Amino acid sequence: MENQRLLVVGAGQMGAGIAQTAATQGFEVWLTDNAPEQVQKALSGMQARLSRAVETGKLTADQQRDILSRIHAVPTAQSVSSIDLCIEAIVEAEAVKVGVFRELGEHFGPDTILASNTSSISISRIARDTRYPERVIGMHFMNPVPVMRLVEVVEGALTKSEVTQHVMAAAEAMGKVPVLVQDYPGFVSNRILMPMINEAIFALQEGVASREAIDTVMKLGMNHPMGPLTLADFIGLDTCLSIMEVLYQGFSDSKYRPAPLLRKMVDAGLLGRKSGQGFYHYDK
Ligand code: NAI
């Protein structure tokens, strides 16, 4: 895993976290986004987080400088070559991901592994139109990436076992614990987590309790570190809605229907922490 060259496509909250984590562990990282201001925002966010780590003695100023020097902003994925591993962390929309993977497959040769950080979309479908579908895999990091230890590694129908092994080793080299799962809607993590969040939104919508009461029940009653509505804001309500749609379509089962309140909030642009307002209000 030495001198690994990593490209991260999508510099939102997950892409920024993946880039920072990999660079901290010695990967050489390139970061791109179709909105250039997102890359700048990601870089200043990393700078701020690493500065806090220096202030609290977790890092030295030299280490901070070295980490940041390993992260390179590039205008497009096509601006780089000889990449070992490319991790896509763009918007959770199947058609957009399929298009991006087709382009990545055309640009990179058979030596590059293409991984998606998708929360729920079928890896086999994302892989289908790429040049080397056997080199496509899911690498599902948890939020916030620098803190959370799990990476759900998702094998598509055509993924070669050597690709899986490489990605499991890469996740470990990033300081994470990889767990291998198969390609089913929501994989394991979001098949279990997201219906709980959706049910909390239904409970709020039906007036069963206030947002604070719902979150407190799950925090103090179930020992969850964060209530489900706070967690939904943290994940992003657009991402939560997309995952519920994937589960609903994938299993054709009404128990996965998205709560109308979730859809209404997304329609209104209330996306949670990243937009400044979701179930709670946040200073931007
Ligand atoms: P985000 O909304 O913070 O960031 C997405 C980024 O992708 C934006 O900067 C956007 O400009 C960029 N983008 C959109 N289309 C693009 C394209 N065609 N080419 C390049 N960049 C493009 O979203 P977030 O939360 O970072 O999620 C990204 C992915 O990670 C999604 O697939 C999501 O399901 C997954 N994920 C999200 C988690 C969360 O808690 N938010 C947890 C685990 C996975």
Side-chain angles (χ1 to χ4, degrees), residues 10-228:
Q13 50 179 344
M14 294 304 290
I18 294 166
Q20 179 189 322
T21 303
T24 302
Q25 298 300 328
F27 286 61
E28 206 64 35
V29 182
W30 284 263
L31 181 62
T32 188
D33 195 291
N34 67 353
E37 69 278 8
Q38 281 290 101
V39 179
Q40 285 322 311
K41 196 174 148 199
L43 290 173
S44 27
M46 286 181 227
Q47 175 103 47
R49 280 194 297 275
L50 293 171
S51 294
R52 273 198 300 278
V54 172
E55 278 158 26
T56 54
K58 289 186 191 130
L59 277 184
T60 65
D62 283 352
Q63 285 170 322
Q64 177 189 22
R65 199 199 49 233
D66 288 351
I67 294 166
L68 290 171
S69 75
R70 284 195 284 272
I71 304 175
H72 319 281
V74 279
T76 64
Q78 285 70 21
S79 323
V80 275
S81 54
S82 306
I83 290 294
D84 300 297
L85 173 62
C86 167
I87 303 178
E88 163 276 316
I90 67 167
V91 60
E92 185 76 346
E94 184 180 316
V96 187
K97 288 203 196 278
V98 166
V100 165
F101 270 75
R102 191 185 306 119
E103 285 169 19
L104 291 171
E106 274 160 24
H107 177 66
F108 293 109
D111 293 335
T112 302
I113 292 175
L114 303 180
S116 176
N117 184 50
T118 179
S119 304
S120 60
I121 298 170
S122 162
I123 297 301
S124 311
R125 234 176 294 153
I126 289 175
R128 198 172 50 197
D129 290 349
T130 60
R131 220 153 120 202
Y132 307 102
E134 68 282 5
R135 312 277 301 160
V136 176
I137 192 162
M139 211 175 169
H140 182 207
F141 289 82
M142 304 293 129
N143 192 8
V145 182
V147 176
M148 301 295 281
R149 295 185 62 212
L150 178 72
V151 175
E152 207 177 19
V153 174
V154 188
E155 263 185 342
L158 300 178
T159 309
K160 277 258 169 68
S161 65
E162 73 224 37
V163 171
T164 306
Q165 279 154 25
H166 185 102
V167 161
M168 303 279 282
E172 278 172 6
M174 288 182 206
K176 303 297 177 196
V177 178
V179 172
L180 183 60
V181 306
Q182 294 306 307
D183 190 16
Y184 273 85
F187 317 130
V188 171
S189 52
N190 278 314
R191 182 174 178 167
I192 297 173
L193 172 69
M194 210 42 80
M196 183 200 67
I197 289 178
N198 196 45
E199 206 55 41
I201 302 171
F202 267 114
L204 181 70
Q205 177 187 305
E206 290 163 15
V208 178
S210 68
R211 59 187 185 182
E212 290 85 0
I214 292 169
D215 276 351
T216 303
V217 166
M218 296 309 286
K219 266 168 64 182
L220 302 189
M222 319 298 157
N223 235 357
H224 288 196
M226 222 184 244

